[in-house]
């Protein structure tokens, strides 16, 4: 039996807790507040079959929710990878980005890119500069066609030479 039951209302996720300790742990990490669960964490918990949505959990349910909430699969894969590495990522205010505390204690922001995706270099540089302006470490997560994720630290220099 799942540890919580979720429902979607207007693009938001609400949960009814069955296991108090489970929900307290989610609250402590900042994923659950006032009965509302962060959408990416819902996907993670559905994949782990800890939360059910309308009596269902697992990958089939997860994919339906992802489509309904307009979450890119590559973003979820990076979120899942970071969670499995013991990190506690959050959605950033910037599109396709996650915020995560790094082992160094610094805060990193991860931009999720897909292999073959048409993205302008100028847009990536602008993203890097915006992240650096917030004193965060800019990281790129490149998801290849097989779902393998490679992480790179990014830097934007003012000029070469």
């Amino acid at each position: 039996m799942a540890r919580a039951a979720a429902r979607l209302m207007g693009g938001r996720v609400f949960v009814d807790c069955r296991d108090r300790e489970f929900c307290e742990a989610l609250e402590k990490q900042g994923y659950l507040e006032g009965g509302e669960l962060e959408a990416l964490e819902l996907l993670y918990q559905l994949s782990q079959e800890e939360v059910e949505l309308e009596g269902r959990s697992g990958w089939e349910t997860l994919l339906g929710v992802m489509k309904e909430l307009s979450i890119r699969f590559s973003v979820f894969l990076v979120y899942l990878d970071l969670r499995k590495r013991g990190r506690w990522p959050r959605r950033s205010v910037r599109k396709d980005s996650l915020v995560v505390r790094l082992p160094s204690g610094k805060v990193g922001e991860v931009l999720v890119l897909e292999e073959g995706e048409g993205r302008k270099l100028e847009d990536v540089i602008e993203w890097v500069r915006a992240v650096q302006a917030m004193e965060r470490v800019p990281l790129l997560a490149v998801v290849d066609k097989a779902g393998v994720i490679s992480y790179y630290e990014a830097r934007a220099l003012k000029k070469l030479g």
Side-chain angles (χ1 to χ4, degrees):
M1 179 184 239
R3 299 168 87 178
R7 64 190 183 288
L8 295 175
M9 292 174 44
R12 297 168 63 190
V13 181
F14 296 93
V15 295
D16 296 315
C17 294
R18 297 175 180 157
D19 180 330
R20 187 176 51 84
E21 288 179 19
F22 173 73
C23 289
E24 285 175 356
L26 290 174
E27 287 172 348
K28 181 180 177 186
Q29 294 301 328
Y31 289 125
L32 180 63
E33 188 175 318
E36 187 173 351
L37 184 64
E38 195 171 287
L40 281 166
E41 185 63 14
L42 169 67
L43 297 175
Y44 174 75
Q45 295 299 339
L46 285 169
S47 75
Q48 304 301 301
E49 300 189 354
E50 296 286 2
V51 172
E52 64 184 19
L53 180 68
E54 300 172 7
R56 302 181 329 260
S57 61
W59 283 88
E60 187 175 321
T61 303
L62 179 157
L63 293 171
V65 171
M66 196 177 302
K67 184 175 181 179
E68 186 173 338
L69 297 178
S70 301
I71 297 173
R72 289 177 46 189
F73 188 68
S74 57
V75 172
F76 174 66
L77 282 180
V78 172
Y79 185 90
L80 179 65
D81 183 61
L82 291 169
R83 285 288 270 118
K84 288 189 173 197
R85 291 172 185 256
R87 303 281 157 238
W88 297 88
R90 301 266 183 305
R91 261 190 158 160
S92 170
V93 294
R94 284 177 273 282
K95 186 178 184 325
D96 298 330
S97 293
L98 302 170
V99 176
V100 65
R101 183 156 305 279
L102 302 172
S104 65
K106 294 180 180 180
V107 175
E109 188 161 336
V110 182
L111 175 62
V112 179
L113 302 171
E114 296 177 10
E115 177 185 14
E117 172 183 18
R119 180 90 53 134
K120 291 181 181 176
L121 182 58
E122 295 84 16
D123 293 342
V124 175
I125 291 170
E126 183 179 317
W127 177 88
V128 169
R129 288 188 175 138
V131 170
Q132 287 175 326
M134 294 184 72
E135 297 184 5
R136 293 180 174 171
V137 178
L139 302 165
L140 304 177
V142 180
V143 182
D144 74 12
K145 295 187 186 305
V148 175
I149 304 166
S150 299
Y151 295 93
Y152 303 93
E153 186 173 340
R155 290 192 178 92
L157 303 174
K158 293 186 184 196
K159 71 179 200 176
L160 295 175

